[in-house]
Amino acid sequence: MKVAYTAWSWLQDEYNNWGPVSHLPKRDFEQSLRDLKDCGYEYMENFNIVSEIYENDREEFDEVMKKYNMEFVCIYHYLTDDFQKDMAIAKRCVRFAKEHGFVLMNLEPPRKKPGQVVTDADLLTVCGKADEIAKLCRDNGIELNLHPHWGTYIEAEKQIDYFLAHIKENIGLCLDTAHTVLCGMEPAYLFDKYLGTGKARYIHLKDINGDPDSYPEYPPRRFRALGQGVIDFPGVLKVLEDHGYDGYLTVELDFNRVNNYESARTSRKYIHDILGL
């Protein structure tokens, strides 16, 4: 297994919050590489914004990745209410992947509106959109994984199963330890189930605090660096090993308690000291 980091949070102007995209994105992207390299990471995932930042600067991107001996392995895309725009960005991401030699894309379902009840018709619409993006990926040698995600149309086990039963393309899953807990599921169980079916093909690791009543205004603020919450990562690792998983373990943190560097360093130390990776 290879340890990666999802470094999108460096590309924001505000630490510890979802601020606007950085006004100096290339500077901050390079800072993410510098920080991650110092923490001991060798692989990176990032959001679709990177394909825009470096759309016309292919050589510059390759050079900065080489400078820090970092490998870009996966790009993260997401569905919105504007599918025409989503497809345009997906095409840009696919071009970016082919130009820079990686084959993985993650796809987040659309966000729910407050109080919205997701119907089967809603899920079928998501299935159709995911299939279109998956076909684009397949035609270009890219593997697409859906990321079940709190606050979206697909977050719970029943919705995941519905999605897998109604898609036409070969779409895998990016399972996330903290979103699994936040949505009322147990990571070892969920990972065992979908690794067993061959559908769990990419892993996000982050921790979560044990107080379900904290941050009621936005529960993902419960997310923590590895070892700072309640998730049994040794148990998760055993499930992965039992199934022979040999893909990426990609660390992520939406909200930092200190800053991006400290979160990345804390998680990498945990992975080394506790998980032995």
Side-chain angles (χ1 to χ4, degrees):
M1 285 177 271
K2 300 175 181 178
V3 179
Y5 203 96
T6 301
W8 58 269
S9 54
W10 275 260
L11 293 172
Q12 296 178 304
D13 272 341
E14 299 177 19
Y15 283 130
N16 305 318
N17 201 356
W18 284 353
V21 174
S22 167
H23 66 291
L24 292 172
K26 290 182 179 179
R27 178 204 66 181
D28 293 340
F29 181 78
E30 182 168 0
Q31 184 64 51
S32 75
L33 295 174
R34 186 180 298 113
D35 288 348
L36 294 182
K37 185 64 178 178
D38 189 67
C39 292
Y41 296 90
E42 298 177 354
Y43 306 95
M44 168 190 278
E45 175 187 23
N46 217 312
F47 276 19
N48 55 27
I49 186 64
V50 174
S51 68
E52 180 181 354
I53 294 168
Y54 287 97
E55 185 172 15
N56 300 312
D57 298 298
R58 175 179 177 178
E59 291 184 359
E60 183 180 357
F61 177 82
D62 289 339
E63 287 171 2
V64 75
M65 296 298 293
K66 183 178 180 180
K67 177 179 178 181
Y68 295 95
N69 195 27
M70 191 77 62
E71 183 178 346
F72 198 101
V73 298
C74 182
I75 196 159
Y76 190 103
H77 188 28
Y78 38 86
L79 293 171
T80 69
D81 292 333
D82 186 347
F83 188 60
Q84 184 176 355
K85 181 178 179 181
D86 297 341
M87 276 300 296
I89 295 174
K91 291 176 181 178
R92 190 182 71 213
C93 289
V94 166
R95 288 195 303 271
F96 186 77
K98 293 180 72 176
E99 287 174 353
H100 301 291
F102 64 92
V103 298
L104 296 171
M105 182 191 296
N106 286 329
L107 184 68
E108 182 182 309
R111 297 296 177 99
K112 294 188 299 184
K113 296 178 176 60
Q116 179 180 359
V117 175
V118 176
T119 66
D120 286 354
D122 294 326
L123 293 175
L124 281 175
T125 298
V126 174
C127 290
K129 292 177 177 179
D131 274 333
E132 286 195 47
I133 293 178
K135 182 179 184 302
L136 169 70
C137 288
R138 171 172 55 82
D139 290 346
N140 287 276
I142 310 299
E143 301 172 19
L144 185 69
N145 295 308
L146 183 90
H147 182 346
H149 192 289
W150 177 90
T152 71
Y153 283 36
I154 301 174
E155 52 184 3
E157 182 180 1
K158 181 178 179 181
Q159 294 164 332
I160 298 171
D161 288 340
Y162 187 97
F163 175 82
L164 293 175
H166 290 84
I167 51 175
K168 298 176 182 178
E169 294 289 331
N170 183 16
I171 304 173
L173 296 174
C174 165
L175 297 181
D176 183 302
T177 52
H179 281 282
T180 295
V181 172
L182 193 57
C183 295
M185 301 172 288
E186 202 279 317
Y189 161 77
L190 200 74
F191 284 35
D192 181 61
K193 174 177 177 176
Y194 293 116
L195 285 163
T197 64
K199 282 297 183 179
R201 299 172 187 167
Y202 193 89
I203 305 298
H204 274 178
L205 299 180
K206 52 180 171 275
D207 216 335
I208 187 170
N209 76 24
D211 181 2
D213 297 321
S214 60
Y215 303 101
E217 73 286 356
Y218 195 69
R221 286 191 173 276
R222 293 173 57 197
F223 295 161
R224 297 289 182 264
L226 305 192
Q228 295 186 338
V230 297
I231 291 177
D232 176 17
F233 289 104
V236 170
L237 180 63
K238 184 178 186 305
V239 171
L240 293 168
E241 291 175 336
D242 288 347
H243 284 278
Y245 179 79
D246 194 32
Y248 294 99
L249 300 178
T250 302
V251 182
E252 181 187 27
L253 189 59
D254 304 61
F255 300 100
N256 300 289
R257 301 181 78 182
V258 181
N259 56 43
N260 288 309
Y261 177 87
E262 190 63 25
S263 295
R265 187 193 66 82
T266 297
S267 290
R268 190 65 187 92
K269 188 174 188 301
Y270 179 91
I271 289 171
H272 178 273
D273 293 351
I274 306 301
L275 300 185
L277 298 174

